[in-house]
Amino acid sequence: MKRFLFLIVFFVMPCLLSAGPVEPAADRQTHSLYGLVTDLQGEPLPYAVISIPGTAYGTTSGPDGNYRLSGLNPGTYSVEGSFLGYKTFVKQMTLGGSDVKLDIVMEEVSHQIDEVVVYGNLTRGQAKALNTQKNDLRIVNVVDYEQFAKFPDRNTADALQRIPGVSISKDQGEGEYVMIRGLSPEFNSVQLNGQRIPSPDKDDARGTGMGLLLADMMQSIVVYKTMSADMDGDAIGGTVDFNLKEAPDKTMLLAMVQGGYNAQHSEYNHWGKDLEHVSVMYGSRYFKDKKLGLLVSGSYDNNNIGSILNQYTYVGNTDQIQDKRWNDYDVHRTRYGLIVSPDFRFNEKNKIRVLYTYNQYNDDEIRRRADFLMTDPENSTLRRETRNRIEKVNTSMLQLTGEHYIGRVKLDYTFANIHSNMDEPDQSNYRFEVKNVDLSGLTNLQKYDLTGRSELLPAGERLKLSKVTTAYETMTDRDNSAKLNLTVPFEMLGRESKIKTGVKWLKKKKDYLMDTYTGKIVQDGNANYIDDGTFGFIGIKTENGAGIVPVSSYTLDSPVNAASYDASEEVISAYAMAEFRWLARFTTLAGVRYEHTKNKYYHDETERRGSSSYGNLLPSVTFIYNLNDKSNLKTAYSNGLSRPSYSKLVPYYAKDDQSLTISKGNPNLKPTIGHSFDLLYERYTNNLGMITAGLFFKKLDDQVNSQVEYQIIDGDRYEVTKPVNMGSAKVWGAEIALNKRFRNSGIPFIKHTGIYANYTFTRSRSEFAGRTLVMGNSPEHVANLSLFFDHERSGWSFAWTNVYRSHILTSIGTDNMNDVYFGQEFNMDLSVSKRIWKGLTAQLQINNLTDQSAREYLGNPSQSGTRLQQTEYYGRRYVLSLIWKL
């Protein structure tokens, strides 16, 4: 803490001294120029540059298009506004004895060849994104809603995979978790309006699944690849911030209706193959001067998904199949989303906003599983299981934000309450089996092709109900937080710079409970048997199984399940940073952040308690050199951290006398610390083109891995496993991105077309148990290629997109032959839209044109000796939409 206070003084005092004494307001008589920057359609333009040539005064408009230039003396000024893809705005303004409002309307750059070229929605969204990306002092990638709405992406993770350096994992073919520059989800932060989203994942990773967030509720998606001191420190890989829509200045009504077909691979298909989506959004401003704004948005999404998963185990390190498992997933997935967001602009210097959002995700799944256990081929076991469960996940957030100017000083604050919950109230598993089956006559190829429809029993034999279980599982994650920031402009070397300080308090509470029950089976004739090649009790859960399933009662397996725990975490942060504008083209963003973390844990089964606390000092600095008005060179260094998962911190002690193993938690685990270095060159054009090229390097210290020791207890040798901080890892790579429009090509056929492409190369090295491996979930190659057409006059637009990811390590085995990798993937999607009437547009989306499967291997797929461990197939998806905008 002493070092932290010293660094605050080190950064802040020179700024205050260089700013000079503050003169009384009556003597200075300085005033502000403020207003809203919009395009000709009245849409706000974020991050437009507003400046007064020949002076040090300049600023950028905020995410809502509003700007403010403070500290101006009375006089006449030439005000200039610039925005990529738009004509420069210039106007003479005179400031007298009060603040002056100047709304800036930007006109699109057009070129007349044989017709006037105007912007389509895709182009306009691209302009907003590129301006935000160009003028941010950090290294960021930005996607605007109008841009990703034209791509065939249903949820936010799918939209993210188009961004350089970003890859995603999938659940039933839909995007779920995000990896940034080769780092796993637990190393990245996912935020909603600047607020980190808790993770109600029952697997207890720090990463946040994004399957419940629908893309059409977002205004923009920003991926921060470097950190500044005013950002939360737990983002070594990067931060994804989903910005929700807010009330527009012009009344807006938008409705979307979608219907589609999912050409899934499920053999049985209980739920059907249809999919539907409906969303409505309304926004307007009321009263005099439009001080009160309101935005209301709601959405409903229904998706029936089916997939086939084949899994294989082998005899030793050979390619001879020992066991085969076949899974049929039959899923009914629904999502609900709601946004209510009023805001009030008291005057040009004071405004507040309230945001309430609720997202519900229901996943009703039937899983048919067939096991062919052939360790002894002459005495094999055939097993059929039907697993029925519904998973309900919801997240709600209530947020209050405020922004106030006191003279030239800006004060902003955020108060938030977020509640996430995962509930699986009724998991029902029914197992049928028959033993001592002779399968010695099956060849290796025949074993490979076994499915749930295979019939291997002699005539008259059936599988008998052998086990019935049910489970209840719930996890809650509750966050309360408060944040306060203070920004003070000051003059240094004749230019306006800024200092910013702030504090944040976060209190998190997480609870996990699981109970399992075993049913007592009674003899009930045919209900106890099924024929080979079939499954029993489809869609029947414990709550509706009475009188159908031959079970007389259920017995709780354990009074307290070993996995259940309670945890709390409190993080208190403070920071100081400064934006130094040394020269006309050279800027430094430097700061330091201190985070103090305090944890408390309780393990339900052993009634053990634990606590820990630690502090982290996180410096960061970015240097920005503007080579010219449209080219930047950015280099950055930052510290970040990744806190251990809660289940590893819980002081549990699980002893298994049969397997002679002991598993222990470790409340004294420290966070993994990351050191990041970045270098980026970026160039933009008025024609909304862009090329960026960058290098990055990350070093991770104190990774959390499992330590294995041996202990003699009562003469027996136990294997003791405990998570500890050990080992380090390095990640380095390069990325390049190109955004090119052919408007000025002189070729009429292609002037409305463009290309969007990016490629990221990543190398990583990690030490584990004496072995050197790549990091988990770190692909060496990630590439995107999109071709698009956007013609506002005819109303036609299309986007043809391709995403490639090379193989990734997902699990470390006993040796190289048994490490688990996901194979490479190539996905192709298509979106075509046509304006059929003013405000009414039709759109067709086709996903997974290549019918890409997910393949998992034992051993590195790029080397010899690889064996296929599992394959999963999802199918293509076709969606037709009608979009009406008033």
Side-chain angles (χ1 to χ4, degrees):
M1 178 61 77
K2 290 180 180 178
R3 288 188 297 167
F4 174 63
L5 294 175
F6 169 78
L7 285 169
I8 289 181
V9 174
F10 178 81
F11 279 113
V12 173
M13 286 305 295
C15 304
L16 296 178
L17 291 174
S18 62
V22 178
E23 301 176 18
D27 296 330
R28 295 185 64 191
Q29 294 184 343
T30 61
H31 303 289
S32 297
L33 185 69
Y34 69 95
L36 178 68
V37 185
T38 65
D39 60 15
L40 291 174
Q41 286 72 36
E43 294 289 334
L45 297 179
Y47 298 99
V49 177
I50 299 92
S51 62
I52 299 178
T55 74
Y57 293 101
T59 188
T60 57
S61 59
D64 56 359
N66 285 288
Y67 75 94
R68 173 174 290 274
L69 274 172
S70 302
L72 296 172
N73 293 314
T76 300
Y77 299 93
S78 176
V79 181
E80 187 174 288
S82 61
F83 197 81
L84 286 175
Y86 289 71
K87 294 180 180 179
T88 300
F89 173 94
V90 180
K91 186 171 184 178
Q92 295 290 121
M93 292 296 298
T94 299
L95 271 70
S98 62
D99 295 347
V100 174
K101 183 178 182 181
L102 173 63
D103 289 333
I104 297 175
V105 179
M106 307 291 292
E107 183 180 352
E108 300 157 356
V109 175
S110 60
H111 305 274
Q112 185 155 355
I113 302 174
D114 56 354
E115 62 175 316
V116 175
V117 178
V118 295
Y119 281 6
N121 287 333
L122 180 58
T123 310
R124 192 172 294 113
Q126 182 180 324
K128 292 180 182 179
L130 291 183
N131 275 275
T132 304
Q133 185 171 306
K134 171 181 176 291
N135 295 314
D136 200 297
L137 296 181
R138 292 151 296 196
I139 295 176
V140 302
N141 291 105
V142 184
V143 184
D144 187 82
Y145 170 74
E146 289 178 347
Q147 187 174 359
F148 64 72
K150 293 292 183 178
F151 288 87
D153 303 318
R154 291 176 65 81
N155 68 22
T156 52
D158 289 331
L160 276 169
Q161 67 181 328
R162 318 290 177 190
I163 294 176
V166 175
S167 58
I168 62 173
S169 66
K170 296 184 177 182
D171 176 34
Q172 297 296 327
E174 293 187 326
E176 185 176 24
Y177 289 99
V178 59
M179 285 79 76
I180 302 175
R181 287 176 163 179
L183 292 184
S184 297
E186 64 266 24
F187 294 113
N188 306 309
S189 173
V190 177
Q191 299 180 347
L192 198 61
N193 267 32
Q195 204 73 35
R196 176 137 190 182
I197 307 174
S199 173
D201 194 312
K202 64 181 180 180
D203 294 330
D204 189 41
R206 288 276 184 170
T208 301
M210 289 172 284
L212 79 164
L213 298 176
L214 292 171
D216 59 4
M217 300 183 71
M218 308 300 161
Q219 180 57 50
S220 65
I221 304 175
V222 183
V223 178
Y224 296 92
K225 295 180 177 176
T226 61
M227 300 173 64
S228 55
D230 57 344
M231 299 172 62
D232 290 340
D234 54 346
I236 297 174
T239 298
V240 179
D241 192 8
F242 297 105
N243 297 307
L244 297 176
K245 293 180 170 67
E246 58 181 298
D249 279 357
K250 295 176 63 177
T251 299
M252 178 266 298
L253 179 62
L254 175 66
M256 177 189 294
V257 178
Q258 293 181 330
Y261 174 78
N262 197 339
Q264 55 186 254
H265 284 276
S266 173
E267 291 271 353
Y268 295 91
N269 197 255
H270 176 78
W271 300 110
K273 297 186 176 183
D274 59 300
L275 51 92
E276 299 85 28
H277 177 87
V278 178
S279 63
V280 179
M281 181 171 60
Y282 168 79
S284 188
R285 305 203 69 85
Y286 307 92
F287 302 146
K288 185 179 179 180
D289 297 328
K290 299 183 177 181
K291 290 187 175 182
L292 176 65
L294 176 66
L295 181 126
V296 180
S297 178
S299 63
Y300 165 77
D301 186 82
N302 174 74
N303 194 7
N304 292 314
I305 303 171
S307 63
I308 298 292
L309 172 65
N310 291 286
Q311 297 172 293
Y312 310 91
T313 59
Y314 297 89
V315 178
N317 286 339
T318 72
D319 60 359
Q320 294 299 308
I321 296 175
Q322 175 176 290
D323 299 321
K324 165 71 185 289
R325 172 173 289 175
W326 179 90
N327 307 265
D328 182 295
Y329 288 92
D330 196 355
V331 182
H332 177 60
R333 185 170 289 175
T334 56
R335 300 179 179 92
Y336 309 86
L338 173 68
I339 298 175
V340 179
S341 181
D343 67 82
F344 194 81
R345 300 173 183 171
F346 296 92
N347 50 47
E348 68 276 6
K349 294 185 178 181
N350 300 279
K351 64 179 181 179
I352 61 172
R353 181 189 181 191
V354 176
L355 170 67
Y356 174 76
T357 178
Y358 178 86
N359 291 276
Q360 174 78 38
Y361 167 92
N362 296 332
D363 196 74
D364 203 339
E365 179 180 287
I366 300 170
R367 180 184 180 186
R368 304 168 180 86
R369 189 172 87 182
D371 286 308
F372 306 90
L373 308 177
M374 300 171 285
T375 303
D376 179 0
E378 294 184 356
N379 295 281
S380 300
T381 297
L382 299 183
R383 182 178 294 164
R384 303 297 174 108
E385 285 192 6
T386 300
R387 299 187 169 194
N388 306 293
R389 67 112 172 107
I390 183 168
E391 179 183 23
K392 301 177 181 179
V393 180
N394 63 72
T395 296
S396 62
M397 180 174 77
L398 180 62
Q399 183 188 65
L400 169 67
T401 58
E403 184 179 292
H404 309 276
Y405 283 89
I406 306 170
R408 298 179 64 193
V409 177
K410 178 184 176 182
L411 175 72
D412 64 89
Y413 51 83
T414 302
F415 300 95
N417 171 268
I418 306 180
H419 184 277
S420 292
N421 183 74
M422 184 284 300
D423 188 21
E424 289 192 11
D426 199 350
Q427 308 172 27
S428 302
N429 300 341
Y430 305 104
R431 176 186 293 178
F432 295 81
E433 64 182 354
V434 60
K435 298 181 178 181
N436 302 319
V437 180
D438 186 0
L439 299 181
S440 59
L442 294 178
T443 65
N444 211 46
L445 181 59
Q446 288 174 324
K447 293 177 182 179
Y448 180 87
D449 291 333
L450 290 171
T451 75
R453 292 189 181 276
S454 299
E455 298 182 14
L456 303 174
L457 290 178
E461 284 199 45
R462 306 177 75 192
L463 292 88
K464 184 178 181 181
L465 183 64
S466 61
K467 187 176 183 180
V468 178
T469 63
T470 187
Y472 168 81
E473 193 171 4
T474 183
M475 175 176 284
T476 59
D477 202 336
R478 298 174 293 277
D479 286 8
N480 289 292
S481 65
K483 178 170 63 175
L484 176 68
N485 299 305
L486 189 69
T487 305
V488 183
F490 66 94
E491 187 175 323
M492 185 180 71
L493 302 177
R495 301 186 178 279
E496 184 179 82
S497 297
K498 298 176 184 177
I499 60 172
K500 186 177 181 181
T501 62
V503 294
K504 181 179 180 180
W505 169 81
L506 169 67
K507 183 63 178 290
K508 176 186 288 288
K509 193 174 188 305
K510 190 162 188 171
D511 305 316
Y512 177 70
L513 175 65
M514 181 177 183
D515 288 324
T516 60
Y517 301 81
T518 299
K520 183 179 180 181
I521 301 172
V522 296
Q523 296 300 319
D524 192 22
N526 285 333
N528 290 84
Y529 296 90
I530 60 172
D531 294 325
D532 198 11
T534 64
F535 296 85
F537 307 123
I538 302 299
I540 298 176
K541 303 180 178 66
T542 306
E543 62 182 13
N544 61 3
I548 302 174
V549 181
V551 173
S552 61
S553 61
Y554 288 88
T555 303
L556 183 64
D557 293 338
S558 173
V560 181
N561 190 278
S564 302
Y565 67 88
D566 299 331
S568 66
E569 182 174 271
E570 184 178 44
V571 181
I572 298 176
S573 309
Y575 74 90
M577 60 184 285
E579 177 187 321
F580 299 107
R581 296 193 177 272
W582 305 96
L583 302 170
R585 297 188 181 277
F586 182 58
T587 304
T588 303
L589 183 66
V592 63
R593 184 180 186 89
Y594 179 81
E595 294 194 354
H596 183 267
T597 306
K598 184 178 181 180
N599 300 311
K600 292 183 179 180
Y601 305 98
Y602 176 73
H603 186 230
D604 292 6
E605 182 185 41
T606 60
E607 298 185 348
R608 289 172 176 257
R609 297 183 182 274
S611 63
S612 64
S613 64
Y614 51 87
N616 298 99
L617 196 67
L618 307 171
S620 60
V621 60
T622 304
F623 301 98
I624 305 99
Y625 185 71
N626 305 121
L627 300 171
N628 51 53
D629 291 342
K630 296 180 177 62
S631 300
N632 297 324
L633 187 65
K634 298 179 181 179
T635 182
Y637 165 78
S638 63
N639 263 164
L641 59 88
S642 175
R643 296 182 176 90
S645 64
Y646 299 99
S647 60
K648 290 183 173 65
L649 289 162
V650 173
Y652 66 87
Y653 182 92
K655 181 182 177 186
D656 190 330
D657 293 327
Q658 292 185 351
S659 62
L660 298 180
T661 59
I662 297 173
S663 299
K664 300 167 65 175
N666 185 1
N668 297 317
L669 285 174
K670 298 182 295 183
T672 299
I673 302 297
H675 306 268
S676 300
F677 301 85
D678 290 85
L679 176 64
L680 179 74
Y681 167 78
E682 52 187 6
R683 176 170 176 77
Y684 302 86
T685 70
N686 275 333
N687 200 28
L688 300 181
M690 173 204 73
I691 183 169
T692 65
L695 302 172
F696 57 89
F697 172 82
K698 298 178 185 291
K699 184 177 183 295
L700 280 64
D701 296 324
D702 291 327
Q703 286 196 103
V704 177
N705 289 310
S706 296
Q707 181 185 65
V708 178
E709 298 177 341
Y710 294 93
Q711 183 177 354
I712 304 299
I713 301 177
D714 296 331
D716 292 321
R717 184 173 182 262
Y718 282 76
E719 181 183 87
V720 183
T721 304
K722 176 182 178 180
V724 297
N725 293 106
M726 64 177 182
S728 62
K730 296 178 181 179
V731 182
W732 64 95
E735 62 185 31
I736 185 169
L738 171 68
N739 199 329
K740 172 70 174 176
R741 297 186 62 84
F742 301 107
R743 174 175 296 172
N744 298 327
S745 65
I747 305 174
F749 178 73
I750 66 171
K751 68 181 180 181
H752 298 290
T753 65
I755 183 173
Y756 174 75
N758 60 69
Y759 167 72
T760 303
F761 170 80
T762 305
R763 279 284 177 89
S764 62
R765 291 292 180 267
S766 178
E767 302 294 328
F768 179 80
R771 301 172 60 197
T772 299
L773 301 162
V774 298
M775 290 191 68
N777 295 303
S778 182
E780 189 171 45
H781 306 284
V782 175
N784 280 270
L785 173 63
S786 299
L787 301 177
F788 57 86
F789 172 89
D790 189 28
H791 193 281
E792 178 70 11
R793 174 167 292 185
S794 68
W796 280 101
S797 69
F798 77 81
W800 177 59
T801 64
N802 305 266
V803 180
Y804 170 79
R805 173 192 54 74
S806 61
H807 58 262
I808 55 176
L809 175 68
T810 59
S811 179
I812 300 174
T814 55
D815 53 39
N816 293 340
M817 290 290 293
N818 291 285
D819 294 334
V820 180
Y821 287 80
F822 266 123
Q824 63 182 3
E825 289 188 4
F826 174 74
N827 288 280
M828 183 187 298
D829 306 310
L830 177 67
S831 177
V832 180
S833 64
K834 175 68 170 72
R835 187 179 64 249
I836 56 180
W837 189 63
K838 183 179 180 180
L840 183 63
T841 301
Q843 185 180 53
L844 173 66
Q845 296 177 340
I846 306 176
N847 294 96
N848 196 20
L849 281 165
T850 56
D851 197 12
Q852 175 67 57
S853 63
R855 303 173 74 86
E856 189 174 277
Y857 297 90
L858 289 172
N860 191 327
S862 63
Q863 300 174 3
S864 60
T866 295
R867 293 165 295 165
L868 184 65
Q869 177 164 273
Q870 70 176 42
T871 59
E872 190 164 16
Y873 299 88
Y874 308 109
R876 299 178 182 88
R877 187 174 59 203
Y878 307 85
V879 179
L880 181 63
S881 309
L882 285 178
I883 306 166
W884 179 60
K885 185 176 182 180
L886 178 64

